Amino acid sequence: MTKDIKNPSYLPTKDQVRTFIEESDAPVGKREIAKAFNIKGADRIYLKKILKELVTDGALEKGRGQSLAAAGSLPSVAVIDIIRLDENGEPIGKPVKWDDETPAPTIYVGLQKKRGVKAVAVGDRYLAKLTKQPDGSYEATVIRHLTAASGPVLGVYTSTGKNGRVQPTDRKNKKEVIILEEHSMGAQSGEVVLVDILPGRHFGTPEGKVTERIGPLGDSRSLSLIAIHAHGIPHEFSDTVKKEALAAKPVELADRTDLRDLPILTIDPEDARDRDDAVWAQRDESPENSGGWQVIVAIADVAHYVTSGSELDKSARLRGNSVYFPDRVVPMLPHELSSDLCSLHDNVDRPVMAVKMWFDANGNKIRHKFMRALINSCASLTYRQAQNAYEGHPDHVTEELAQTVIKPLFGAYEALKKARDKRQPLNLELPERKIELNEDGFIKAVHKKVRFAAHMMIEEFMIQANVCAAETLNQLRRPCMFRVHEPPDREKLEGLQEILSEMNISFAKGQVLQTATFNRILAQAENETDKELVSTLVLRSQSQAVYSPDNKHHFGLHLKNYAHFTSPIRRYADLLVHRSLISGLGLGNDGLTNEDAENFDDIGVHISGLERRAMVAERQTMDRFTAVFLANKVNEIFQAKITGVTRAGLFFSLDETGADAFAPISTIGHDFFVYDEKNHSLFGERTGVTYRLSDRLAVQLREVDIATGSMIVSIEDGSGRSSYDAGSRRRKRNAAPGKPGTPGKKSFSKKKKTMPKGKKRAAAKKARNT
């Protein structure tokens, strides 16, 4: 009997075959289809025919090899670019190979499931496993981080006739992007824009399309937006997250410990955006603890409002932390919580997780106790207010608090300081920059932050509370997100030892490493400038602190048990520690879930990556704000110190603002300068002028690039003429012989080291060959 190929009733219809392919998780071939429908022999001719018709109709697409897939579907493994973040801050991907004429399926990129995978950011490119969802979207699991995608690009737009060009704000990306008039969105010269790279150009200058106009580059209010867009920092909350935050209500006392009659208070910076810690101290009246102290550290009870699995929780985990810029904060939690219900404002009841600690007269902790409580802060002070009151200069707010509340706090700190000094944590002197804005949001000044004893007091109280949290969870055998800082790598220390040797500071590489070792190094610096430099060098040699459920201790603080507990408003790690304490101590039913506990490894990697992202974004924004402030000071003279010596030139830190600047080697003096790698110096082959780390010099500001936050300086030689000008003439091949530069003053060495002539010639020859 001959089979009817045209209408074989026992074979699947065209619609059935199409449905089978559409419901498959990955592209399938004729072999898989034939096996699924038991099609054999001559019946394969029929299958081949209907598949060809489905492709011709546009219902199917041919994939790699002989595979077929529903039109618009994706393979099970593909290369994707992160193109944006959705309203919940979740990364959205797009296949690299996709026809832009048709909408691409939405690809949701989940949290990393592997150690070492960086936090997902806009512009990143990944190899990912894709799983199709019933609604047609895909879920992506990251397999491997690839090179960064070619777009989007953040840059400064410049008109060039009808068209324009965009110069990227990323210092590493020097390639301009051409923007045709029809793709400019009406952007004006000097505006910061977001650009997508258009397909088609594989060589030469790429062509792009403006997708967003952020604002004028010279406007300081645009500077933080550059970092937000460049790093893909989610800065808006979804309606569902906002709804949960708005539904939050003040907390009643219920079964909490009532601490509202206690004269507890907050001490924060003048520009504090949230207040998540309050403190109280008094003498311990127990005869068994003569001269001892009682201290309470109360921390905002964020776990009460942000419960595991809620929309607020998902959003907070995706953000990982708040990000602080000079003109704004991108909070981890919505304003209704971060600045209101969770913020410990004065004269209002607020729920807290509190720890009461008992210390002896020498600052050694005797015991501690955690509680969920309700407080009513009696004052919200600044560090300067607290310091002034302690020193006998109270204002109208602190006058009544000076003796009874503020003085005991400093008394307890003096005791704790004894134990701290004995413990010898890493004692680095690292100046921080502060951007001061006027009422219009424009930059008023850039200066170094001033640190008071009040800063160190609060810092030590917070450290002790963090230790209590880690110790308690260890004792309870409960999951803990430790703050881990491992000892420095030996290879990094080799470079540090070479530099310190040049500064006549002894450092034996083979010794057992302790924080006291580095503190002895710092003590050998001869002046404050050298201490800052050595602190920076020591910091560069240290390991990066991370979050992990594995307790590998905290080297820098010289502590065996340490976890972040004191800032749950702005750090997700602290919120996890709160939840674990709640579960372990039986303080409520809103503690840590088993699912979260099982995922601590992955969460630790995730939030550590987000912390690094925030640090880079904040630092780059500080550089851009400083560049704006100094843009109208080009050609002015500044005092500076050398903080880095490379083959390419010298890095400086300007004294007044702490700004970083660079002097290219081609602009240094009237000589051929050779890089001495061993001694980290540049020396002139003809004049013998030598520049070393920590040399203090007068420099002239020559160029300021606001887009990248970078600055170029030249060294003043005291003749009224800058080495920058001489270098420019030399580059143009018309330089005339000039006066030799003045050697940098070596503030750290009593005996000047010189390089023998033979070694100089050999080093110069080596540099030329390099």
Side-chain angles (χ1 to χ4, degrees):
M1 179 179 178
T2 304
K3 296 177 181 177
D4 184 2
I5 301 299
K6 293 182 180 180
N7 188 23
S9 58
Y10 55 88
L11 290 176
T13 64
K14 188 189 296 186
D15 287 340
Q16 288 174 322
V17 172
R18 186 182 67 243
T19 300
F20 171 76
I21 296 173
E22 287 176 346
E23 291 179 352
S24 297
D25 292 335
V28 296
K30 283 184 288 185
R31 181 182 299 175
E32 289 79 13
I33 299 170
K35 184 177 180 180
F37 290 102
N38 196 27
I39 300 174
K40 300 178 181 178
D43 290 337
R44 290 177 179 269
I45 299 173
Y46 166 79
L47 176 60
K48 184 177 180 181
K49 178 183 175 183
I50 64 171
L51 290 175
K52 184 177 181 180
E53 289 178 359
L54 287 169
V55 171
T56 304
D57 295 342
L60 296 183
E61 291 178 350
K62 286 186 176 181
R64 185 177 298 176
Q66 299 295 318
S67 66
L68 292 161
S73 63
L74 299 174
S76 58
V77 175
V79 177
I80 61 173
D81 287 340
I82 307 303
I83 57 171
R84 64 184 176 87
L85 302 174
D86 69 6
E87 60 181 8
N88 293 317
E90 190 171 355
I92 302 298
K94 176 184 176 182
V96 171
K97 294 183 179 180
W98 189 262
D99 180 7
D100 284 333
E101 293 182 2
T102 58
T106 301
I107 302 175
Y108 294 98
V109 184
L111 296 178
Q112 283 64 38
K113 299 297 181 184
K114 292 177 64 178
R115 284 183 176 274
V117 177
K118 297 180 179 179
V120 171
V122 174
D124 281 349
R125 177 168 290 180
Y126 295 94
L127 178 67
K129 180 180 179 181
L130 305 180
T131 304
K132 193 172 184 180
Q133 304 301 304
D135 61 359
S137 66
Y138 288 80
E139 283 191 0
T141 302
V142 171
I143 298 174
R144 186 168 67 252
H145 181 262
L146 305 175
T147 56
S150 57
V153 172
L154 190 72
V156 182
Y157 181 87
T158 303
S159 296
T160 55
K162 287 186 178 180
N163 301 322
R165 285 179 175 251
V166 169
Q167 176 63 49
T169 57
D170 185 352
R171 296 184 189 184
K172 297 178 182 178
N173 185 4
K174 303 296 183 183
K175 205 167 189 178
E176 286 189 327
V177 181
I178 296 173
I179 306 294
L180 300 181
E181 184 181 17
E182 60 266 30
H183 294 150
S184 68
M185 281 187 70
Q188 303 296 310
S189 286
E191 273 193 304
V192 180
V193 296
L194 202 62
V195 173
D196 274 348
I197 303 299
L198 297 176
R201 285 192 177 221
H202 300 290
F203 303 99
T205 306
E207 187 178 317
K209 177 181 180 181
V210 175
T211 58
E212 186 175 350
R213 296 169 61 184
I214 294 172
L217 178 62
D219 187 344
S220 61
R221 288 167 290 191
S222 299
L223 300 179
S224 52
L225 289 174
I226 292 176
I228 289 170
H229 283 78
H231 295 280
I233 297 171
H235 61 290
E236 294 181 351
F237 292 98
S238 69
D239 291 339
T240 53
V241 172
K242 290 178 182 176
K243 186 177 179 181
E244 278 193 6
L246 287 168
K249 302 296 181 185
V251 175
E252 301 293 335
L253 179 62
D255 55 353
R256 292 175 179 269
T257 303
D258 194 349
L259 299 179
R260 288 176 294 180
D261 292 334
L262 209 62
I264 198 166
L265 52 75
T266 63
I267 304 177
D268 294 285
E270 294 177 7
D271 57 353
R273 276 88 175 223
D274 48 56
R275 302 180 185 279
D276 49 12
D277 57 84
V279 292
W280 168 89
Q282 73 170 19
R283 284 280 187 184
D284 189 354
E285 300 300 331
S286 171
E288 298 177 358
N289 188 25
S290 177
W293 293 88
Q294 299 179 49
V295 175
I296 290 179
V297 172
I299 306 299
D301 190 357
V302 177
H304 171 81
Y305 294 105
V306 184
T307 55
S308 182
S310 65
E311 293 301 316
L312 280 166
D313 180 50
K314 294 174 185 175
S315 173
R317 186 180 296 189
L318 281 169
R319 284 162 170 75
N321 47 254
S322 298
V323 187
Y324 293 87
F325 300 113
D327 64 327
R328 72 185 72 201
V329 59
V330 180
M332 185 180 76
L333 301 174
H335 167 80
E336 291 79 8
L337 295 181
S338 61
S339 300
D340 188 10
L341 288 178
C342 290
S343 202
L344 307 182
H345 298 302
D346 53 310
N347 300 316
V348 290
D349 291 354
R350 287 290 183 261
V352 295
M353 278 285 292
V355 57
K356 186 173 183 179
M357 300 171 284
W358 287 263
F359 299 92
D360 66 21
N362 293 315
N364 300 303
K365 183 165 67 70
I366 300 171
R367 66 183 188 278
H368 66 266
K369 176 186 178 182
F370 281 96
M371 65 193 91
R372 272 184 126 167
L374 203 64
I375 68 165
N376 191 302
S377 172
C378 65
S380 296
L381 305 183
T382 67
Y383 287 113
R384 187 179 294 275
Q385 276 182 298
Q387 189 70 37
N388 287 345
Y390 176 63
E391 293 175 354
H393 308 289
D395 58 19
H396 68 284
V397 176
T398 59
E399 190 169 9
E400 294 183 1
L401 305 172
Q403 294 299 317
T404 58
V405 180
I406 297 174
K407 188 175 180 180
L409 287 170
F410 281 87
Y413 168 63
E414 287 300 320
L416 268 63
K417 190 173 180 295
K418 294 176 185 177
R420 182 186 186 277
D421 292 343
K422 186 177 180 181
R423 189 177 84 243
Q424 283 217 44
L426 204 56
N427 188 25
L428 302 180
E429 295 187 17
L430 299 169
E432 294 183 63
R433 275 180 285 170
K434 179 176 174 61
I435 305 291
E436 192 175 341
L437 304 177
N438 60 25
E439 293 180 356
D440 297 326
F442 292 97
I443 303 169
K444 181 180 178 182
V446 179
H447 50 76
K448 294 181 180 178
K449 284 185 178 179
V450 179
R451 273 178 66 84
F452 302 112
H455 286 91
M456 294 178 275
M457 173 185 71
I458 295 299
E459 184 178 275
E460 189 61 28
F461 287 168
M462 298 303 115
I463 288 173
Q464 292 301 324
N466 288 336
V467 169
C468 291
E471 288 179 346
T472 298
L473 292 177
N474 265 347
Q475 292 166 2
L476 295 172
R477 299 185 181 276
R478 292 288 303 172
C480 180
M481 188 62 77
F482 294 100
R483 182 62 168 174
V484 173
H485 181 226
E486 296 191 74
D489 188 275
R490 290 283 177 180
E491 290 183 6
K492 288 185 178 180
L493 294 179
E494 289 183 7
L496 175 64
Q497 193 270 342
E498 291 177 1
I499 299 174
L500 294 176
S501 176
E502 174 65 13
M503 298 177 70
N504 291 335
I505 295 176
S506 61
F507 173 55
K509 290 183 292 185
Q511 62 187 304
V512 176
L513 287 178
Q514 295 180 334
T515 49
T517 307
F518 294 102
N519 291 339
R520 284 194 294 271
I521 291 172
L522 291 163
Q524 295 179 61
E526 293 185 1
N527 53 54
E528 290 304 313
T529 301
D530 288 352
K531 284 182 181 178
E532 288 182 6
L533 176 63
V534 175
S535 291
T536 301
L537 295 172
V538 170
L539 180 65
R540 290 173 184 171
S541 72
Q542 300 299 304
S543 303
Q544 175 74 49
V546 296
Y547 292 108
S548 172
D550 300 325
N551 188 10
K552 298 178 182 178
H553 315 313
H554 199 292
F555 175 80
L557 292 174
H558 199 192
L559 291 168
K560 290 184 177 180
N561 300 296
Y562 194 70
H564 276 167
F565 161 79
T566 54
S567 296
I569 290 178
R570 60 186 178 92
R571 293 188 304 225
Y572 193 74
D574 302 53
L575 177 56
L576 293 174
V577 170
H578 277 230
R579 288 176 181 164
S580 196
L581 286 168
I582 290 168
S583 297
L585 296 171
L587 298 176
N589 57 7
D590 46 2
L592 191 70
T593 64
N594 291 334
E595 182 181 0
D596 282 347
E598 291 170 0
N599 291 326
F600 259 35
D601 273 315
D602 296 329
I603 296 173
V605 173
H606 173 67
I607 59 179
S608 295
L610 295 177
E611 179 189 47
R612 287 191 291 273
R613 178 181 72 176
M615 289 170 60
V616 172
E618 290 169 354
R619 184 179 68 246
Q620 290 177 350
T621 304
M622 287 293 289
D623 289 343
R624 292 188 178 104
F625 267 86
T626 306
V628 168
F629 178 70
L630 294 174
N632 62 352
K633 298 179 184 293
V634 171
N635 294 326
E636 290 189 17
I637 308 298
F638 297 89
Q639 294 299 312
K641 68 174 179 289
I642 297 176
T643 57
V645 182
T646 69
R647 197 181 303 279
L650 300 171
F651 288 93
F652 288 90
S653 175
L654 307 187
D655 288 355
E656 186 179 344
T657 60
D660 296 320
F662 181 65
I665 196 168
S666 60
T667 68
I668 299 175
H670 307 269
D671 201 348
F672 181 84
F673 279 85
V674 178
Y675 176 53
D676 180 1
E677 185 176 4
K678 182 178 179 181
N679 295 309
H680 299 272
S681 63
L682 289 176
F683 69 93
E685 185 183 25
R686 180 172 59 84
T687 62
V689 173
T690 303
Y691 296 106
R692 299 180 178 88
L693 278 172
S694 194
D695 282 352
R696 299 192 59 76
L697 300 165
V699 298
Q700 185 174 30
L701 184 61
R702 286 296 184 158
E703 297 177 21
V704 174
D705 188 341
I706 299 172
T708 61
S710 58
M711 282 164 271
I712 300 294
V713 295
S714 60
I715 299 171
E716 285 296 289
D717 63 5
S719 65
R721 175 178 54 186
S722 170
S723 60
Y724 182 90
D725 300 321
S728 299
R729 289 195 299 274
R730 185 165 61 250
R731 289 194 301 274
K732 295 176 183 177
R733 298 188 178 183
N734 63 350
K739 294 181 180 179
T742 303
K745 182 181 178 184
K746 190 176 177 184
S747 60
F748 50 79
S749 178
K750 296 177 181 178
K751 182 179 179 182
K752 184 174 180 180
K753 295 183 179 180
T754 58
M755 181 175 283
K757 241 178 212 181
K759 288 190 176 181
K760 284 185 183 178
R761 284 195 293 270
K765 183 178 179 182
K766 181 181 177 183
R768 288 195 197 98
N769 292 336
T770 303

